[in-house]
Amino acid sequence: MDKNYRALELDKILDLVAAETTCDDAAEAVRSIEPVKSAGEARLLLEETDAAFVLMAKFGGPSFRDLKNVSNPLRRAQAGGSLGMRELLDVAGTLRSIRSLQSWHDKSAGMRTALSDRFSVLTPNKYLEEKIFTSIVSEEEMADAASPALATIRRKIRNASARARDQLDKLVRSPAHQKHLQESIITQRGGRYVVPVKAEFRGEVPGLVHDTSSSGATVFIEPMSVVEANNEIRVLQSEELEEINRILRELSAEAGEFADGIIHSYKCAVELNVIFAKAQTAYRMKAVTPTVREDGVTELHAARHPLIHKEKVVPTDISLGKSFDTLIITGPNTGGKTVALKTVGLLSLMAMCGLMIPAGEGSEVSVFDHILADIGDEQSIEQSLSTFSAHMTNIISILKAADEKSLVLLDELGAGTDPVEGAALAAAIIEELRGKGVKLACTTHYAELKAYALQTPGVENGCCEFDVESLRPTYRLLIGVPGKSNAFAISKRLGLEERIVDRAGELVSRESSEFEKVIGRLEEDRRKLQDELELAKKAAARARDSIREAEAKQAEAGVQAKRELEQARKEATDIVAKTRRQADALLNELDEMRRQKNKSLSAEQKARLRSGMRDMEASADPVHRREVGDYTLPRELRTGDNVLIFDLDKKAVVLEAPRDGQVLVQAGIIKTRVDVKNLRLLEEKQKDRPRGRTVTKNVSAPEAGTSLDLRGMNADEALMEVDGFLDRVGRMGLAQVTIIHGKGTGVLRAAVQKHLRRCPGVKSFRLGAFGEGESGVTIVELK
C-alpha cells in the first residue's frame, strides 16, 4: 500500500471491512482495494454501498455462508478429473450460498437498485446442489440414496454381516466353547469377523488366525463357519468402493459441465460480499454517503475519526477548498491537531474506496489524484536532527509529486530545528505548495504562521480548542480562529510561582504580547457566540420535539379513530344480525298463527307482537340520545325559527308553534315532532363555512418478531433462515429470541443448535422451559 495511505491508516480501515466478510477471497479483495481517481467511479462505488445499506435496513443482510473458492476443483473436473467428497460438498455449499443470495434478492424484486445487475448474473443450480447433498452425507460417507446399485450392495453387506454374526453368536453362546474363549464377544480384524480365543485352546476352535494380542495370551480366530460370509462381505465391500468411485466420477463430470457458470457466479458473490461488508462497516460507524466533488472542496460536518472509540471521539466540522485553499491548525500538544489532519485525509480516501464516511448529512469530499501526507505520531520539542531530516526528505518528495489535483497534509511543519529558521522554512514551503495549486492543511506551533494566515488571502487559521480551567483539550477544531498560547495560564494553574510567570511575560516581546491579547479577545467573543448558538440549538431542539410530539398525537388520534370506526362496524354488524333473528322469529310466529287459521289475533297475541317489534326497533337503533341538560329557551319558538335538535346534532326549521310541549320541525326532507326541551334556538342564519376533514394515514412499520418458526423446513433451509433472522435481531439490539423447531425426530433441533454454537453473535442458548415450548423451542441469548 502507498506509504501516504498507510500514514493515514487506510490499511486499518480496510482490515475492519475485511473482518465483515465471510470468505477468504472477499477479505483479500477488500485488503487490496485501491482508491479510485475519478469522481464518477467514486460515485458508482458509493451508490453500490448505499444500495446495500438500504437493502440491509429493509430486509436484513444476506447470508454468504459456505461460499468457498472452488475454481481449481471445478477446472479439474472440467478437464475430466474426479473430485473427492469434500470438494463436491464445497461445490454444493457454494451453490447453496448462491441460491440463498438469489432468494434473498427476490424479496426486493420490486426495488431497482445499483446492485440489481450484479444479482441478475447469479445462476443458481439447484439440481446439482441437491444431487450432491443427496448423494454425499459427509466428506467420509456416501449416502445409500446415491444410486440404486449402492443401496443394493449395502443391503447385501448388511445381510451377510448379519449371517456371520448369527453364526458367531451361536459359537459364543455354545457351552462347548465357553472355556475356550477369552471373552464372549465378537470383534473384527482386517475387516473380518473373529472371536478372541485363549492361546492354549487355539486348536479347539477350527478356523483362521488373524491376529494375536500383545501379551500373546489371546488369538483372534475366524471360525470356518463364517469364512464364506466374510469372503462375501469383502467382495461386496470392493463392489461398494467401486460404485462410490463411479458415483464420484459421475458427479464430477456434471460439476465440470457447469464449471464456467459456477465460477462466474462465485466471483459475483465475492464482489457482493465485499459491497455488503462495506455497508455493514457503515452501520457500525453510523456513516453516511457524502457528496463527491472534483474541485478539491472538502466540507465535513460532525466528522469522526473512525479508529477512535465512538464513546471517546469528538465530532468536529472541517472545511477546506471553498473560501480558502490552505488551513493552518495551531494548538497545544495532544489537542487533536493530528487527528484533524488524519480525519480529512482518511475520510477522503474512504470515499474514493467506495466506503461511507462517519460524518453528518450534507458532508462533501473531493477526489484527488494524490493524497500526500507527512505525519508523525511522536511530536516533541526535543526532536532530533535525524527526525528533522526524515521530515524534510518526505516534504521534498511531496513537493516533487504535488500538483493542482493533490491534497497535502503536513504535521508539525518546520519543527525540529531553530524556531526562527523553522518558521521561515515552513512559510516558504506553504507558498511553494500553494503556487502548485494544491489543497493544503498543516499543523504548527509557530506564531509567525498564525500571522501569515491572517495576512495572506486564501490561507485560514484553525485551532484546537483548549479549556484552561480544566487544563483539558476539547478536541474541537475551530476554523477562522488562531490558536492562543496557553503556556503561561497552564503553568500558573499547575502551581508555578506567579512572579516567575510575570517575569516570563516581561521577557516576551511587545508585539507577541499584543498579538496574544488580540487572540484572547477573539477567543472570548467566540465563546460568547458559541454559548448563544448552543441556546439557539436547544430552543430549536425543543421546537422539533414539540412538533414530533404533536405529530405523534395526531397519528395516535388517527389510529384511535380508525379503531373506533372498526368497532362501530362490528357493532353494526351484530345489531343487523340480532335484528334479523328477531324479525325471523316474529315472522315464524305469524306463520304459525296463519297455519292455525286464526281469523283474528287475541289481545294477548297482539300485545306480544307489539312488544317484540318495539324490542326489535330499540335494538336496531344504536344511537344513544344525548343528555338534554339545564338549557332554557331565551324566548318562545316561532314559525320559521332555526333550531338544533340537540340529541341528534341536526339543524331544523320550526313549522308550527309549540303545542303540548311538542314542536313540528323540518330537518332536511323529514318532518317530525320534537320535544321542546330537545331544541336549541340558533342565531340568525349565517353562511355555513365548509368544514374540511383531515384524514391522517398512519403507516406503521412491520414489527420484527422475536421468534422464528422453522417447522416444516429441512435443515439447510432452516439454517439459512436462522442466519437472516439473527442478523435482523442483532441490529435491533434484542437480547433474547426464540427459535421454534418442533419436537419431531430431533434432527432439526440438533442442526439448529449445532449451527448456533458457531454463530459469533450468540452468547448462549437452551431448550425452552415449561410454558415456553419445552424441547420444541430453543431460547437464544444474544451478545
Side-chain angles (χ1 to χ4, degrees), residues 56-298:
M56 288 175 65
K58 290 188 175 183
F59 307 106
S63 173
F64 294 89
R65 185 173 64 90
D66 293 335
L67 195 63
K68 293 181 181 178
N69 190 345
V70 290
S71 300
N72 289 337
L74 285 173
R75 292 303 182 199
R76 196 168 74 250
Q78 195 175 35
S82 179
L83 306 184
M85 294 187 190
R86 178 69 271 166
E87 292 173 317
L88 286 168
L89 286 174
D90 288 343
V91 171
T94 299
L95 286 172
R96 178 170 59 189
S97 185
I98 292 170
R99 182 168 59 87
S100 171
L101 286 174
Q102 188 70 61
S103 175
W104 179 87
H105 185 254
D106 289 343
K107 299 177 186 176
S108 61
M111 292 179 59
R112 178 71 185 177
T113 69
L115 297 178
S116 297
D117 290 339
R118 290 186 179 273
F119 277 102
S120 66
V121 300
L122 294 175
T123 53
N125 191 331
K126 191 175 181 181
Y127 160 74
L128 181 59
E129 172 197 341
E130 290 184 344
K131 187 168 184 179
I132 293 174
F133 279 133
T134 302
S135 301
I136 303 175
V137 177
S138 69
E139 58 184 294
E140 297 177 351
E141 182 182 357
M142 183 71 72
D144 290 357
S147 75
L150 182 62
T152 301
I153 293 170
R154 287 184 171 173
R155 185 173 64 254
K156 290 179 180 179
I157 290 174
R158 288 192 292 271
N159 292 337
S161 298
R163 289 197 303 272
R165 293 187 65 89
D166 288 342
Q167 291 291 333
L168 292 175
D169 280 339
K170 292 177 182 178
L171 187 147
V172 167
R173 291 196 297 268
S174 170
H177 291 290
Q178 285 288 328
K179 62 180 180 178
H180 303 148
L181 300 179
Q182 193 71 261
E183 291 181 84
S184 297
I185 61 172
I186 302 170
T187 184
Q188 282 188 328
R189 286 294 184 273
R192 303 179 74 89
Y193 288 106
V194 296
V195 292
V197 179
K198 295 176 183 178
E200 60 269 25
F201 296 115
R202 60 187 301 173
E204 301 298 327
V205 179
L208 305 177
V209 177
H210 284 277
D211 198 5
T212 306
S213 66
S214 56
S215 64
T218 305
V219 291
F220 295 92
I221 296 178
E222 177 186 7
M224 296 305 295
S225 58
V226 297
V227 169
E228 187 61 32
N230 277 334
N231 288 340
E232 183 182 355
I233 292 171
R234 293 300 293 270
V235 171
L236 289 171
Q237 286 174 342
S238 298
E239 293 178 4
E240 178 190 27
L241 182 59
E242 184 177 346
E243 178 64 14
I244 289 174
N245 290 332
R246 187 197 65 78
I247 294 169
L248 291 176
R249 288 193 300 272
E250 179 182 319
L251 292 174
S252 300
E254 291 201 53
E257 291 177 9
F258 299 108
D260 292 336
I262 297 172
I263 292 171
H264 183 62
S265 294
Y266 168 77
K267 291 178 179 178
C268 293
V270 168
E271 292 172 0
L272 286 169
N273 195 194
V274 171
I275 294 170
F276 278 92
K278 291 179 181 179
Q280 186 62 39
T281 304
Y283 264 112
R284 297 190 185 283
M285 292 183 180
K286 292 182 171 53
V288 301
T289 301
T291 300
V292 180
R293 306 176 58 144
E294 296 180 286
D295 54 2
V297 172
T298 298

Side-chain angles (χ1 to χ4, degrees), residues 482-507:
K484 181 179 181 297
S485 173
N486 296 297
F488 293 167
I490 293 173
S491 300
K492 188 182 293 185
R493 289 277 297 172
L494 292 175
L496 187 64
E497 292 186 23
E498 189 171 351
R499 61 183 180 81
I500 299 175
V501 177
D502 293 341
R503 176 56 182 161
E506 294 172 2
L507 295 175

